[in-house]
Each structure stands twice: as C-alpha cells, then as structure tokens.
Amino acid sequence: MDYNLINGGIPPQIGNLTNLSGLSLSINKISGAIPPSLSHLKSLVDLNLGQNFLTMELPTDIGNLSNIASLLLNNNNLSGEIPPSFQKLEQLEQLDLENNLFAGGLPNPIGEATGMSILFLSGEIPDSLGGLKNLKSLSLSHNKLFGRIPLSFGGLQSLKSFNLSYNSLFGEIPYTLVYLFELSYLDLSNNKLEGRIPCGPQMDTMNDPNSYANNNGLCGMQIKVSCEMVPSKPKLKRERPRKKELGDMVFTGNGSD
C-alpha cells in the first residue's frame, strides 16, 4: 500500500495480525505514534513506514520483532532515544532511520546484529559499530555526528559503501580504512576532516574529489593535493624546565646523552 493517500494513525489493533510477515505503508500521510502493539508482530520480517508523518518515540519493546530483517522508518518526525531493546534485533539486515529527530546514538554495545547492511542514525558514532564484520553498507550522512571516525571501522571488512557526509566529524581519516578491501563507494564530504588521506590498495581507488569536498585541509594523492602544500598546525613552544623542575627529575644512564 505504498504511494497512496492513506492518512490518520496506525490502529492499535494491528498487533492482532500475529502471522503478518510484511507490512509496507511508505509514502503516505500516516501520522501519530507507532502503536506499542506493533511490537507483538513477531513474525514480521519486513516493515516499511518511511516517508510519512509519524511522531513520538519508538515503542519500548520494538526489540520483540525478533525476525525483522528490514526496518525502514526514514523521513518521519520520530523523536526520543533508540530503545535499549533495539539490541535484540539480531536478524536485522537493513535499517533506515534517516531524517528523523532522534537524540543520542545507538545503544552501546550494539548487540549481535552482525548482519546489518544499511544504517542511518544521528548521534555520536559508537566504537562498537566496528564489530559488524558482515556490514555491507553504512550511511550516517546528513546528521549531527561529531568527534572522530573510530579506528574500529577498519574492522568492517565486508563494507562496500561508506557514507559519513554532511556531519561535523573532525580530525584525521583513520589509517585503518586501508583494510576495507571491498570498498567501492566512499563519501566523507562536508565535515571538518584534515590531514593525509590514507593510502592503500583500495583507498587509492577512492579518488573522486567530491568524496572529500568541503573539509578542512585534507591532502593526498587521491585528490591531487600535496601534503607539503597544506600548512601544518603551529607547534607549541617547548619551555625550558625551571631549576626546581630539573632538581626533581630522575636521570638514568651514564650522562653521555
């Protein structure tokens, strides 16, 4: 029932459809909250409520959807934090929460959802995402992410598509990304990244300048910008230790240094 003009709320009686395996109501005018009774649909494999006008928080017991493989809730007005029960969604392969009003990040640790293939979420990036070794596509674009890209992302060795664009990430691109040998699409544009882009067999092929556009001082062969041309940060002047500090130091060796 996609692409219709269905409006109003999702009735709580939907929880009575206990044998339902698929429900797609995307691109309609459905409003209101997702009823808690939807968490009773333990046979549900695919749920698509994207591009509607849903509001409020996710049901606390959404983790009871133990067979869910595809959960698409993008482009709504859902808010609040992701419930801790989310960690139970171990069969999840596709998750889209893009363009909502969620606060915070994924529950950390993220659980055992190692089959997850697509992820959209706002908030700080947890290191535990690097443990999803079967993850094929990771998109955290157009959010309010800040901080550094975790070194643990080098563990996403099945990753083919990687998008962190339009956030406020800063610091250097982690060298561990050279271990992403399956990577074929990369977009780190519109952040505050700087320093040398890591070099490696696959990272060297990620040479589209648009993938790195609008950052602060990135350099590397991928974008044909010499790192010698990028001004380095001024080093702090090292002051000589005072006499009292010299007296407190413990010297080792024969003093020939």
Side-chain angles (χ1 to χ4, degrees), residues 209-224:
N210 293 324
S211 297
Y212 307 97
N214 298 320
N215 280 288
N216 295 334
L218 282 176
C219 62
M221 53 81 60
Q222 295 92 336
I223 55 175
K224 296 181 172 61

Side-chain angles (χ1 to χ4, degrees), residues 134-149:
N134 294 326
L135 198 67
K136 293 181 175 63
S137 179
L138 174 62
S139 179
L140 297 166
S141 67
H142 291 86
N143 284 294
K144 296 180 180 180
L145 298 172
F146 56 90
R148 298 178 184 273
I149 301 173

